[in-house]
């Protein structure tokens, strides 16, 4: 997936300087007044401006001819359940994907190599593989951030050049106005963890049932560089997503949303051109491993505190 994160640590920012003109907390740097209100930034890389909170991870080094997996933890700053109306992500060149994972440890820390590399997985409210991504929910729909749940930003960067590059990921959380969210959004993550690709041309196929009575807002894929095509459709033939781009596939936005009836199964798969003389296996590295993943955003979610439908966890 591509560019990375900067997700939600709003309580720190709100505590640092409330919109009511309250005194900034220790460690907060107060900036100028913008059209949205006073700007504050704390030591954890969290900036608050009015009803937005921006998390910044980086800059971090991406050495030449390497793939890196960088993580940073952020403590939840809201102090209560908070509805998010829009996620906005910006990643510098070289990103392959980013996740905003929920982190029950609820602590803050510095940028570090991800302890589990590219195999980490937890419930999450948003991810993207595009460098500049925005997810704005329909009227009355939002993403819930539980009061005592922190975040881990996880980013995969690739440097095929001969010199070290730097990566930076920012995630801006746009708070929903109080009382405006009537239904909560969730995410779908369908992963073929047993995938193997022998030399030559191969097409994989997997399937997974969906809960009925949901509405799809957005669909996308995740593949590695040996993949040449991706498709996801319902068992009755309704196409949900198709692309021939592995590095930065453009998501499909459903306008209006696509209603998914009861007892619906999704079938997804990838086509590969393995020009090596070795069988490639499922794994974290884009250059030497394979992945075939279908992702989507939907509403309403059965449990907004656990918004992820995951057919194949690591």
């Amino acid at each position: 997936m591509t560019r990375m994160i900067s997700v939600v640590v709003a309580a720190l920012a709100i505590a640092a300087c409330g919109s009511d003109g309250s005194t900034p907390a220790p460690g907060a740097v107060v900036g100028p007044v913008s059209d949205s209100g006073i700007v504050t930034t704390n030591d954890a890389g969290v900036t608050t401006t009015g009803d937005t909170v921006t998390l910044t991870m980086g800059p971090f080094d991406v050495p030449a001819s390497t793939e890196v997996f960088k993580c940073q933890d952020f403590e939840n700053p809201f102090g209560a359940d908070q509805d998010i109306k829009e996620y906005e992500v910006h990643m510098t060149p070289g990103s392959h994907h980013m996740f905003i994972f929920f982190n029950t440890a609820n602590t803050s820390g510095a940028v570090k190599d991800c302890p589990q590399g590219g195999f980490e997985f937890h419930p999450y409210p948003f991810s993207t593989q595009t460098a500049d991504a925005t997810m704005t929910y329909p009227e009355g729909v939002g993403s819930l951030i539980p009061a005592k749940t922190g975040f881990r930003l996880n980013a995969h960067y690739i440097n095929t050049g001969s010199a070290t590059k730097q990566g930076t990921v920012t995630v801006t959380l746009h708070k929903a106005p109080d009382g405006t969210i009537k239904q909560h959004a969730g995410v779908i993550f369908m992963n073929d963890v047993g995938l193997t690709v022998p030399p030559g041309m191969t097409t994989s196929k997997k399937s997974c049932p969906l809960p009925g009575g949901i509405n799809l807002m957005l669909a996308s894929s995740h593949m590695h560089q040996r993949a040449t095509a991706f498709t996801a459709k319902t068992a009755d033939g309704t196409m949900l997503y198709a692309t021939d781009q592995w590095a930065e596939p453009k998501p499909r936005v459903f306008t209006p949303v696509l209603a998914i009836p009861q007892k619906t199964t999704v079938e997804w798969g990838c086509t590969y051109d393995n020009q090596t003389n070795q069988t490639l296996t499922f794994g974290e590295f884009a250059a030497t491993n394979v992945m075939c993943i279908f992702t989507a955003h939907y509403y309403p979610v059965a449990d907004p505190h656990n918004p992820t439908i995951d057919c194949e966890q690591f």
Side-chain angles (χ1 to χ4, degrees):
M1 300 172 159
T2 68
R3 286 167 159 90
M4 178 104 181
I5 39 204
S6 161
V7 67
V8 63
V9 176
L12 294 176
I14 293 172
C17 183
S19 59
D20 61 355
S22 56
T23 302
V29 177
V30 181
V33 176
S34 72
D35 292 340
S36 301
I38 298 175
V39 179
T40 64
T41 301
N42 68 13
D43 294 338
V46 180
T47 300
T48 300
T49 306
D51 288 331
T52 68
V53 173
T54 297
L55 303 184
T56 299
M57 184 173 78
F60 50 84
D61 286 341
V62 184
S65 302
T66 63
E67 299 185 38
V68 301
F69 301 87
K70 294 294 183 179
C71 285
Q72 186 168 0
D73 295 336
F74 293 88
E75 183 180 359
N76 186 313
F78 294 111
D81 286 359
Q82 178 62 55
D83 289 326
I84 302 300
K85 186 62 180 175
E86 179 180 281
Y87 290 97
E88 178 185 350
V89 175
H90 301 285
M91 297 183 281
T92 52
S95 65
H96 182 49
H97 73 257
M98 64 74 63
F99 278 93
I100 302 169
F101 288 126
F102 285 149
N103 183 5
T104 56
N106 197 17
T107 57
S108 296
V111 179
K112 61 184 179 182
D113 291 332
C114 296
Q116 299 176 46
F119 289 113
E120 183 168 19
F121 191 81
H122 311 284
Y124 69 96
F126 186 72
S127 68
T128 184
Q129 196 173 334
T130 56
D132 300 291
T134 300
M135 180 69 203
T136 305
Y137 299 106
E139 184 176 357
V141 179
S143 172
L144 177 68
I145 305 301
K148 297 181 180 181
T149 299
F151 309 92
R152 169 164 290 180
L153 304 187
N154 178 308
H156 180 185
Y157 267 70
I158 302 170
N159 183 359
T160 60
S162 58
T164 296
K165 296 182 179 180
Q166 286 194 321
T168 300
V169 177
T170 62
V171 175
T172 299
L173 303 173
H174 298 258
K175 295 168 59 179
D178 292 344
T180 61
I181 301 305
K182 308 303 180 184
Q183 299 183 91
H184 286 101
V187 292
I188 295 167
F189 187 84
M190 297 184 178
N191 187 11
D192 186 356
V193 297
L195 180 62
T196 60
V197 177
M201 297 292 295
T202 304
T203 298
S204 67
K205 185 178 180 179
K206 289 283 287 186
S207 64
C208 180
L210 283 178
I214 65 173
N215 303 287
L216 287 189
M217 298 176 286
L218 178 148
S220 190
S221 64
H222 182 75
M223 303 185 290
H224 286 168
Q225 70 181 44
R226 303 289 178 180
T228 60
F230 177 97
T231 59
K233 60 184 179 180
T234 62
D236 65 5
T238 301
M239 184 62 69
L240 301 178
Y241 187 74
T243 185
D244 60 1
Q245 301 296 310
W246 76 269
E248 197 162 331
K250 183 179 180 180
R252 178 184 181 184
V253 178
F254 294 95
T255 307
V257 297
L258 179 65
I260 300 293
Q262 298 284 341
K263 298 182 180 179
T264 296
T265 295
V266 171
E267 299 175 347
W268 83 99
C270 297
T271 300
Y272 310 89
D273 183 9
N274 179 4
Q275 298 182 7
T276 74
N277 60 3
Q278 298 180 340
T279 295
L280 304 177
T281 59
F282 171 84
E284 59 189 340
F285 294 106
T288 56
N289 294 123
V290 288
M291 280 191 177
C292 186
I293 300 171
F294 173 65
T295 64
H297 289 257
Y298 75 99
Y299 75 90
V301 65
D303 178 6
H305 289 80
N306 184 17
T308 308
I309 296 175
D310 177 23
C311 290
E312 296 275 11
Q313 283 200 6
F314 294 159

